[in-house]
Each structure stands twice: as C-alpha cells, then as structure tokens.
Amino acid sequence: MALIPPPGVYVPSPTFFKPIAPGAHQAEVDVETQSEHSVFLAKNGIHGLVLLGSTGEAVHLSRAERIALLGGVRKSLDAAGFPDYPIMAGVLVNAVDEALEWIQDSKDAGCQWGLVLAPGYFGGAASQQGLIEWYTTVADKSPLPILIYNYPGVTNGLTVTPETYEKLAQHPNIVGCKMSHGNVSYHVQVSTSPVIDHDTFRVYSGFGQQLGPIVTFNAAGVIDGLSAIFPKTVVRLFELSSKRPIDDAAVKEARVLQYRVSRAEEFIGRWGILGIREAIYRVVGLGNLEGGRAPLRGKIPDGAWEEWTEVMTAVAEP
C-alpha cells in the first residue's frame, strides 16, 4: 500500500540563495540556510515540507542543484532528530518521462512523495480526460506516491475538476491533491465526496485563508506560505479547526486566529515569493535580501514591509 501523507500544515518552502558573487551570472543555492530553516520548521510543529514546488522556484534550478538541495535538507533533518520527516518534492514539468526523472531523483534524495503539477503548457486545450491519462501514466510508473497539484495561476488557467479528482483518487499510487486556487466549492466537493476514500486520498489547500473552512469539511490541511514565517500560529489554527468534537472556546479562538491569518496572507498574495523570503529574513532571521534568481531576484519595495507591521504583529506567535 502506498504511503499516505499525514494531515496537517506543510510549508511550501522558498529556495534560499546566497548573495550573487562578483562576476557570477546568477546566485548560488544556499543549502545550509535551506536546511536551517527546515529544522526550524520541524522544531516549531510544522507537520511536513514541500521543497522545490512553485514557491521553491524549482524551474530556476538545475537537476544537480535540485538533488543537492533535497539531499542536504534530508540529511540535516535526520541529524537534528527528525528521521522520516515528511517531505513532498515538487515536480513542475509537462513531459511524462521528465516528470518520472524528477520523482526518481526525489526518491533517491530521501523524499516520500512527489507533488506533481498539472501539465498546463497548453492551458484550457488540455481536456479533463487528457489529464486523467497523463496522471495515470505518471502514477503507474512513479517510484513514489504522488499528489495532484493544481495551480491555475502558473498553468495557463488549467483547472482540475472534482470529477477528475474522483477518478484519479481511485489509483493506488495517487494519494492526495493540493488545490492552489480560491474555489472553495471544489475543495469541499473533493474532501467530502462519497466516492473517495479519504483515508487514502488527502486534500490540501494552498491557501491559509481557507484553512478553517476546508478542514471543518474534512480536508487534510494546508500547504501554506505564511507558515514558513509563523509556524506555531498556523499549526494552532489547524489544531483548533480539526478538533472533534469542537467546543465553544475552540471555535472562538479559531475565529480570532483565522481572521489574523487571513489578513496576513494578503501580504503573501501581494508580494509572493519575494515577500515570503523577506518576511523569513525579518521575522526568523534567516536568508538575506539580495538573493534570488531573475526574474524573481531582489526584494519587495522599500517601505512595503513597514505597511504590514500591525498585521504581522497581530499574527506573531506568543
């Protein structure tokens, strides 16, 4: 039986880069800082990591860099006392054979799952039946269990429908999905579908704004950027939202936290990868404001962070 990812809060980690060296054409990957941040998250209650997904800019790294980063993080987690810590590795390519190569590399580096982006180069021209065929072929051959990753924002608007999830959830090597879009109805339909075995197919949102509502209706959790900065806050919201039975005090606390998390998530939505990296630097003290690779190199505009001080203070952990 395929390994099923545990429920909870996962961090879609940004990839850390060193300051660009004089004369170099691009910044080097900073595996040491990547590993330090990963251990920080594990120590602060995060249930697992997503490395080299969209936030991780996997498309900007070479194969050798991806392998070094995944292997370095796994070794650091093991050395810090977190053996078998859950790691999903992003797979962001359209060709089946290349997707399988990425998954094999991830397995060799110690990851347990592949988070496989829907092949959206052709956008809406890709039919739902075509998606079923593509994912089935990958899952049949994959050396790791895989999750379906639907992010219309980077796949030319391609959206996986609930009916397609229902069919793909029957595959023994497809163990879940991540939906990075605002269609809560799709989240709820898939997480409550009577034809899906929810013990073997886990539904995650890419947005912490949706955490409380979707976990209430049987979703497994979130893969959320804000948790890279404030892990304990987002984990606490997950714990309250998944409590069964839930008492009035838990509901009251969850409402307060969900409001604060949702407000802070607007910063992530506005500034994306650059904002996440800068917030980690300012709040956690890791990374720098010089790293990154074009076209995402640099930092957010001067003064932009200060505009969010009140919101970030409200969501900060005690």
Side-chain angles (χ1 to χ4, degrees):
M1 180 177 175
L3 181 66
I4 310 300
V9 176
Y10 290 68
V11 170
S13 297
T15 292
F16 291 88
F17 296 93
K18 300 176 182 179
I20 190 167
H25 67 282
Q26 64 181 5
E28 294 182 9
V29 176
D30 189 347
V31 177
E32 182 178 352
T33 300
Q34 193 80 48
S35 299
E36 190 174 354
H37 184 242
S38 298
V39 172
F40 162 80
L41 295 172
K43 288 181 176 179
N44 282 277
I46 291 296
H47 302 100
L49 303 176
V50 172
L51 299 176
L52 297 176
S54 302
T55 304
E57 297 180 70
V59 293
H60 294 160
L61 274 65
S62 69
R63 182 183 185 187
E65 288 172 327
R66 295 194 305 270
I67 292 171
L69 184 146
L70 294 173
V73 170
R74 170 55 71 196
K75 290 177 182 177
S76 296
L77 286 166
D78 290 349
F82 297 96
D84 302 318
Y85 189 77
I87 299 177
M88 300 178 189
V91 179
L92 311 184
V93 289
N94 285 242
V96 168
D97 286 343
E98 192 174 5
L100 293 171
E101 179 182 87
W102 279 45
I103 297 169
Q104 184 63 59
D105 289 343
S106 300
K107 180 183 179 181
D108 293 344
C111 303
Q112 298 100 316
W113 301 276
L115 182 65
V116 183
L117 185 67
Y121 181 89
F122 292 103
S127 68
Q128 296 298 306
Q129 184 54 45
L131 289 177
I132 291 169
E133 180 180 347
W134 191 90
Y135 272 110
T136 299
T137 303
V138 172
D140 283 345
K141 301 294 184 180
S142 175
L144 289 177
I146 67 170
L147 291 87
I148 302 159
Y149 177 21
N150 187 201
Y151 184 4
V154 297
T155 55
N156 296 304
L158 179 64
T159 301
V160 182
T161 66
E163 294 79 12
T164 296
Y165 285 116
E166 288 178 339
K167 292 175 182 177
L168 289 172
Q170 310 309 313
H171 196 292
N173 209 30
I174 299 179
V175 295
C177 65
K178 176 190 178 185
M179 299 187 206
S180 289
H181 56 66
N183 192 332
V184 176
S185 176
Y186 275 24
H187 284 81
V188 174
Q189 287 182 58
V190 179
S191 63
T192 60
S193 172
V195 303
I196 292 177
D197 181 350
H198 299 287
D199 290 328
T200 60
F201 186 88
R202 298 279 167 78
V203 178
Y204 302 89
S205 171
F207 299 150
Q209 301 95 313
Q210 299 170 341
L211 193 162
I214 65 168
V215 169
T216 297
F217 288 98
N218 202 42
V222 291
I223 300 171
D224 168 63
L226 186 69
S227 57
I229 308 150
F230 301 109
K232 291 181 180 178
T233 298
V234 182
V235 168
R236 178 59 178 167
L237 177 56
F238 170 78
E239 292 171 347
L240 292 166
S241 301
S242 56
K243 187 177 180 181
R244 300 293 182 273
I246 187 167
D247 54 74
D248 289 344
V251 171
K252 183 177 180 180
E253 184 182 350
R255 287 173 178 169
V256 171
L257 282 181
Q258 183 65 75
Y259 174 77
R260 293 176 178 175
V261 165
S262 294
R263 287 283 291 117
E265 294 281 2
E266 292 186 17
F267 174 85
I268 305 299
R270 180 174 298 185
W271 300 114
I273 294 169
L274 295 181
I276 294 172
R277 278 205 299 253
E278 181 152 340
I280 292 172
Y281 173 78
R282 291 181 179 275
V283 176
V284 183
L286 294 174
N288 59 72
L289 300 181
E290 305 172 42
R293 287 182 172 175
L296 300 181
R297 185 169 179 265
K299 63 188 190 71
I300 65 176
D302 291 341
W305 174 259
E306 286 71 21
E307 293 178 7
W308 289 86
T309 300
E310 183 178 347
V311 171
M312 293 302 182
T313 300
V315 80
E317 297 144 5

